[in-house]
C-alpha cells in the first residue's frame, strides 16, 4: 500500500472521484484506499480538503 487515509477523513468522496484507479472505497466511517488498486498517482492528495491521506511510513 502506498497511501492510507487517517481518521481526519470526513468521507467527502473527493479522493474517489479523483483517483484514476478507483482505489479509495467508502468504508464504515471513512474512505479507505485499496492497496491492490493504488498505483501511487497521488491525485487524491491534491483534492483531499482535510489532508487525511498520508504515505505509509
Ligand atoms: Fe476522506 Fe479526504 Fe477522501 Fe474526502 S478526499 S473522502 S476527506 S480522504
Amino acid at each position: 500500500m502506498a497511501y492510507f487515509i487517517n481518521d481526519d477523513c470526513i468521507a467527502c468522496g473527493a479522493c474517489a472521484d479523483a483517483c484514476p484507479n478507483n482505489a479509495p472505497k467508502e468504508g464504515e466511517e471513512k474512505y479507505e484506499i485499496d492497496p491492490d488498486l493504488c498505483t501511487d498517482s497521488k491525485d487524491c492528495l491534491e483534492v483531499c480538503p482535510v489532508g487525511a491521506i498520508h504515505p505509509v511510513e
Side-chain angles (χ1 to χ4, degrees), residues 10 12-20 24 41-53:
I10 57 173
C12 71
C15 52
D17 290 342
C19 181
S41 76
K42 300 181 177 65
D43 290 341
C44 59
L45 300 180
E46 309 287 331
V47 299
C48 180
V50 295
I53 306 170

PDB file of all heavy atoms in Angstrom, residues 10 12-20 24 41-53:
ATOM      1  N   ILE A  10     -13.460  13.068   6.312  1.00  0.00           N
ATOM      2  CA  ILE A  10     -14.863  13.442   6.510  1.00  0.00           C
ATOM      3  C   ILE A  10     -15.761  12.774   5.463  1.00  0.00           C
ATOM      4  O   ILE A  10     -16.928  13.152   5.300  1.00  0.00           O
ATOM      5  CB  ILE A  10     -15.035  14.973   6.454  1.00  0.00           C
ATOM      6  CG1 ILE A  10     -14.515  15.541   5.122  1.00  0.00           C
ATOM      7  CG2 ILE A  10     -14.316  15.643   7.647  1.00  0.00           C
ATOM      8  CD1 ILE A  10     -14.814  17.030   4.924  1.00  0.00           C
ATOM      9  N   CYS A  12     -15.910  12.779   2.209  1.00  0.00           N
ATOM     10  CA  CYS A  12     -16.485  13.641   1.176  1.00  0.00           C
ATOM     11  C   CYS A  12     -16.504  12.965  -0.194  1.00  0.00           C
ATOM     12  O   CYS A  12     -17.289  13.332  -1.063  1.00  0.00           O
ATOM     13  CB  CYS A  12     -15.704  14.946   1.090  1.00  0.00           C
ATOM     14  SG  CYS A  12     -14.054  14.776   0.367  1.00  0.00           S
ATOM     15  N   GLY A  13     -15.620  11.999  -0.404  1.00  0.00           N
ATOM     16  CA  GLY A  13     -15.599  11.268  -1.664  1.00  0.00           C
ATOM     17  C   GLY A  13     -14.748  11.895  -2.753  1.00  0.00           C
ATOM     18  O   GLY A  13     -14.661  11.358  -3.857  1.00  0.00           O
ATOM     19  N   ALA A  14     -14.110  13.010  -2.468  1.00  0.00           N
ATOM     20  CA  ALA A  14     -13.308  13.695  -3.487  1.00  0.00           C
ATOM     21  C   ALA A  14     -12.154  12.825  -3.979  1.00  0.00           C
ATOM     22  O   ALA A  14     -11.821  12.833  -5.167  1.00  0.00           O
ATOM     23  CB  ALA A  14     -12.774  15.010  -2.934  1.00  0.00           C
ATOM     24  N   CYS A  15     -11.536  12.088  -3.086  1.00  0.00           N
ATOM     25  CA  CYS A  15     -10.401  11.239  -3.477  1.00  0.00           C
ATOM     26  C   CYS A  15     -10.856  10.148  -4.438  1.00  0.00           C
ATOM     27  O   CYS A  15     -10.155   9.836  -5.406  1.00  0.00           O
ATOM     28  CB  CYS A  15      -9.740  10.628  -2.251  1.00  0.00           C
ATOM     29  SG  CYS A  15     -10.858   9.763  -1.129  1.00  0.00           S
ATOM     30  N   ALA A  16     -12.015   9.578  -4.182  1.00  0.00           N
ATOM     31  CA  ALA A  16     -12.532   8.528  -5.058  1.00  0.00           C
ATOM     32  C   ALA A  16     -12.814   9.081  -6.447  1.00  0.00           C
ATOM     33  O   ALA A  16     -12.547   8.428  -7.455  1.00  0.00           O
ATOM     34  CB  ALA A  16     -13.783   7.908  -4.450  1.00  0.00           C
ATOM     35  N   ASP A  17     -13.350  10.297  -6.502  1.00  0.00           N
ATOM     36  CA  ASP A  17     -13.641  10.922  -7.794  1.00  0.00           C
ATOM     37  C   ASP A  17     -12.362  11.228  -8.560  1.00  0.00           C
ATOM     38  O   ASP A  17     -12.330  11.148  -9.787  1.00  0.00           O
ATOM     39  CB  ASP A  17     -14.426  12.214  -7.587  1.00  0.00           C
ATOM     40  CG  ASP A  17     -15.840  11.944  -7.097  1.00  0.00           C
ATOM     41  OD1 ASP A  17     -16.313  10.799  -7.241  1.00  0.00           O
ATOM     42  OD2 ASP A  17     -16.464  12.877  -6.571  1.00  0.00           O
ATOM     43  N   ALA A  18     -11.303  11.579  -7.839  1.00  0.00           N
ATOM     44  CA  ALA A  18     -10.056  11.986  -8.485  1.00  0.00           C
ATOM     45  C   ALA A  18      -9.188  10.805  -8.898  1.00  0.00           C
ATOM     46  O   ALA A  18      -8.381  10.921  -9.817  1.00  0.00           O
ATOM     47  CB  ALA A  18      -9.254  12.881  -7.539  1.00  0.00           C
ATOM     48  N   CYS A  19      -9.333   9.678  -8.251  1.00  0.00           N
ATOM     49  CA  CYS A  19      -8.441   8.543  -8.489  1.00  0.00           C
ATOM     50  C   CYS A  19      -8.690   7.886  -9.846  1.00  0.00           C
ATOM     51  O   CYS A  19      -9.823   7.515 -10.155  1.00  0.00           O
ATOM     52  CB  CYS A  19      -8.634   7.492  -7.387  1.00  0.00           C
ATOM     53  SG  CYS A  19      -7.535   6.067  -7.596  1.00  0.00           S
ATOM     54  N   PRO A  20      -7.636   7.710 -10.658  1.00  0.00           N
ATOM     55  CA  PRO A  20      -7.796   7.065 -11.961  1.00  0.00           C
ATOM     56  C   PRO A  20      -8.047   5.566 -11.860  1.00  0.00           C
ATOM     57  O   PRO A  20      -8.450   4.942 -12.837  1.00  0.00           O
ATOM     58  CB  PRO A  20      -6.460   7.349 -12.662  1.00  0.00           C
ATOM     59  CG  PRO A  20      -5.486   7.520 -11.550  1.00  0.00           C
ATOM     60  CD  PRO A  20      -6.256   8.166 -10.423  1.00  0.00           C
ATOM     61  N   PRO A  24      -9.784   4.506  -3.741  1.00  0.00           N
ATOM     62  CA  PRO A  24     -10.441   4.842  -2.468  1.00  0.00           C
ATOM     63  C   PRO A  24     -11.879   4.307  -2.447  1.00  0.00           C
ATOM     64  O   PRO A  24     -12.660   4.563  -3.371  1.00  0.00           O
ATOM     65  CB  PRO A  24     -10.434   6.377  -2.448  1.00  0.00           C
ATOM     66  CG  PRO A  24      -9.418   6.775  -3.463  1.00  0.00           C
ATOM     67  CD  PRO A  24      -9.499   5.714  -4.525  1.00  0.00           C
ATOM     68  N   SER A  41      -0.522   7.385  -7.836  1.00  0.00           N
ATOM     69  CA  SER A  41      -0.717   8.536  -8.741  1.00  0.00           C
ATOM     70  C   SER A  41      -0.665   9.864  -7.982  1.00  0.00           C
ATOM     71  O   SER A  41      -0.381  10.903  -8.565  1.00  0.00           O
ATOM     72  CB  SER A  41      -2.070   8.435  -9.444  1.00  0.00           C
ATOM     73  OG  SER A  41      -3.122   8.777  -8.561  1.00  0.00           O
ATOM     74  N   LYS A  42      -1.019   9.803  -6.690  1.00  0.00           N
ATOM     75  CA  LYS A  42      -1.048  10.975  -5.809  1.00  0.00           C
ATOM     76  C   LYS A  42      -2.163  11.968  -6.152  1.00  0.00           C
ATOM     77  O   LYS A  42      -2.215  13.069  -5.613  1.00  0.00           O
ATOM     78  CB  LYS A  42       0.295  11.713  -5.798  1.00  0.00           C
ATOM     79  CG  LYS A  42       1.462  10.862  -5.313  1.00  0.00           C
ATOM     80  CD  LYS A  42       2.756  11.663  -5.292  1.00  0.00           C
ATOM     81  CE  LYS A  42       3.912  10.847  -4.745  1.00  0.00           C
ATOM     82  NZ  LYS A  42       4.240   9.692  -5.612  1.00  0.00           N
ATOM     83  N   ASP A  43      -3.058  11.608  -7.053  1.00  0.00           N
ATOM     84  CA  ASP A  43      -4.165  12.504  -7.401  1.00  0.00           C
ATOM     85  C   ASP A  43      -5.048  12.799  -6.188  1.00  0.00           C
ATOM     86  O   ASP A  43      -5.569  13.901  -6.040  1.00  0.00           O
ATOM     87  CB  ASP A  43      -5.008  11.900  -8.521  1.00  0.00           C
ATOM     88  CG  ASP A  43      -4.267  11.880  -9.852  1.00  0.00           C
ATOM     89  OD1 ASP A  43      -3.291  12.636  -9.990  1.00  0.00           O
ATOM     90  OD2 ASP A  43      -4.657  11.109 -10.746  1.00  0.00           O
ATOM     91  N   CYS A  44      -5.204  11.833  -5.307  1.00  0.00           N
ATOM     92  CA  CYS A  44      -6.059  12.020  -4.129  1.00  0.00           C
ATOM     93  C   CYS A  44      -5.484  13.077  -3.188  1.00  0.00           C
ATOM     94  O   CYS A  44      -6.229  13.827  -2.550  1.00  0.00           O
ATOM     95  CB  CYS A  44      -6.252  10.706  -3.387  1.00  0.00           C
ATOM     96  SG  CYS A  44      -4.714   9.933  -2.813  1.00  0.00           S
ATOM     97  N   LEU A  45      -4.155  13.140  -3.129  1.00  0.00           N
ATOM     98  CA  LEU A  45      -3.522  14.096  -2.217  1.00  0.00           C
ATOM     99  C   LEU A  45      -3.883  15.539  -2.578  1.00  0.00           C
ATOM    100  O   LEU A  45      -3.998  16.403  -1.714  1.00  0.00           O
ATOM    101  CB  LEU A  45      -1.998  13.943  -2.254  1.00  0.00           C
ATOM    102  CG  LEU A  45      -1.422  12.585  -1.852  1.00  0.00           C
ATOM    103  CD1 LEU A  45       0.087  12.629  -1.939  1.00  0.00           C
ATOM    104  CD2 LEU A  45      -1.877  12.188  -0.468  1.00  0.00           C
ATOM    105  N   GLU A  46      -4.071  15.778  -3.864  1.00  0.00           N
ATOM    106  CA  GLU A  46      -4.341  17.136  -4.353  1.00  0.00           C
ATOM    107  C   GLU A  46      -5.738  17.603  -3.961  1.00  0.00           C
ATOM    108  O   GLU A  46      -5.971  18.797  -3.804  1.00  0.00           O
ATOM    109  CB  GLU A  46      -4.218  17.173  -5.881  1.00  0.00           C
ATOM    110  CG  GLU A  46      -2.939  16.583  -6.439  1.00  0.00           C
ATOM    111  CD  GLU A  46      -1.740  17.475  -6.182  1.00  0.00           C
ATOM    112  OE1 GLU A  46      -1.944  18.699  -6.106  1.00  0.00           O
ATOM    113  OE2 GLU A  46      -0.633  16.952  -6.058  1.00  0.00           O
ATOM    114  N   VAL A  47      -6.666  16.678  -3.834  1.00  0.00           N
ATOM    115  CA  VAL A  47      -8.072  17.074  -3.672  1.00  0.00           C
ATOM    116  C   VAL A  47      -8.608  16.929  -2.250  1.00  0.00           C
ATOM    117  O   VAL A  47      -9.657  17.504  -1.929  1.00  0.00           O
ATOM    118  CB  VAL A  47      -8.979  16.284  -4.638  1.00  0.00           C
ATOM    119  CG1 VAL A  47      -8.570  16.563  -6.090  1.00  0.00           C
ATOM    120  CG2 VAL A  47      -8.938  14.798  -4.351  1.00  0.00           C
ATOM    121  N   CYS A  48      -7.942  16.181  -1.387  1.00  0.00           N
ATOM    122  CA  CYS A  48      -8.485  15.975  -0.032  1.00  0.00           C
ATOM    123  C   CYS A  48      -8.531  17.301   0.719  1.00  0.00           C
ATOM    124  O   CYS A  48      -7.505  17.960   0.897  1.00  0.00           O
ATOM    125  CB  CYS A  48      -7.635  14.971   0.732  1.00  0.00           C
ATOM    126  SG  CYS A  48      -8.269  14.673   2.401  1.00  0.00           S
ATOM    127  N   PRO A  49      -9.729  17.730   1.182  1.00  0.00           N
ATOM    128  CA  PRO A  49      -9.873  19.022   1.830  1.00  0.00           C
ATOM    129  C   PRO A  49      -9.334  19.071   3.263  1.00  0.00           C
ATOM    130  O   PRO A  49      -9.166  20.159   3.824  1.00  0.00           O
ATOM    131  CB  PRO A  49     -11.391  19.253   1.828  1.00  0.00           C
ATOM    132  CG  PRO A  49     -11.966  17.883   1.858  1.00  0.00           C
ATOM    133  CD  PRO A  49     -11.014  17.034   1.039  1.00  0.00           C
ATOM    134  N   VAL A  50      -9.073  17.914   3.847  1.00  0.00           N
ATOM    135  CA  VAL A  50      -8.629  17.892   5.245  1.00  0.00           C
ATOM    136  C   VAL A  50      -7.243  17.277   5.432  1.00  0.00           C
ATOM    137  O   VAL A  50      -6.796  17.068   6.554  1.00  0.00           O
ATOM    138  CB  VAL A  50      -9.652  17.159   6.142  1.00  0.00           C
ATOM    139  CG1 VAL A  50     -10.980  17.915   6.183  1.00  0.00           C
ATOM    140  CG2 VAL A  50      -9.875  15.733   5.669  1.00  0.00           C
ATOM    141  N   GLY A  51      -6.563  16.954   4.342  1.00  0.00           N
ATOM    142  CA  GLY A  51      -5.218  16.391   4.446  1.00  0.00           C
ATOM    143  C   GLY A  51      -5.175  15.056   5.162  1.00  0.00           C
ATOM    144  O   GLY A  51      -4.260  14.788   5.943  1.00  0.00           O
ATOM    145  N   ALA A  52      -6.159  14.211   4.883  1.00  0.00           N
ATOM    146  CA  ALA A  52      -6.256  12.950   5.611  1.00  0.00           C
ATOM    147  C   ALA A  52      -5.459  11.818   4.976  1.00  0.00           C
ATOM    148  O   ALA A  52      -5.341  10.744   5.568  1.00  0.00           O
ATOM    149  CB  ALA A  52      -7.726  12.522   5.710  1.00  0.00           C
ATOM    150  N   ILE A  53      -4.911  12.056   3.789  1.00  0.00           N
ATOM    151  CA  ILE A  53      -4.227  10.978   3.060  1.00  0.00           C
ATOM    152  C   ILE A  53      -2.721  11.117   3.231  1.00  0.00           C
ATOM    153  O   ILE A  53      -2.156  12.179   2.977  1.00  0.00           O
ATOM    154  CB  ILE A  53      -4.604  11.010   1.575  1.00  0.00           C
ATOM    155  CG1 ILE A  53      -6.132  10.970   1.425  1.00  0.00           C
ATOM    156  CG2 ILE A  53      -3.964   9.837   0.843  1.00  0.00           C
ATOM    157  CD1 ILE A  53      -6.626  11.229   0.020  1.00  0.00           C
TER     158      ILE A  53
END
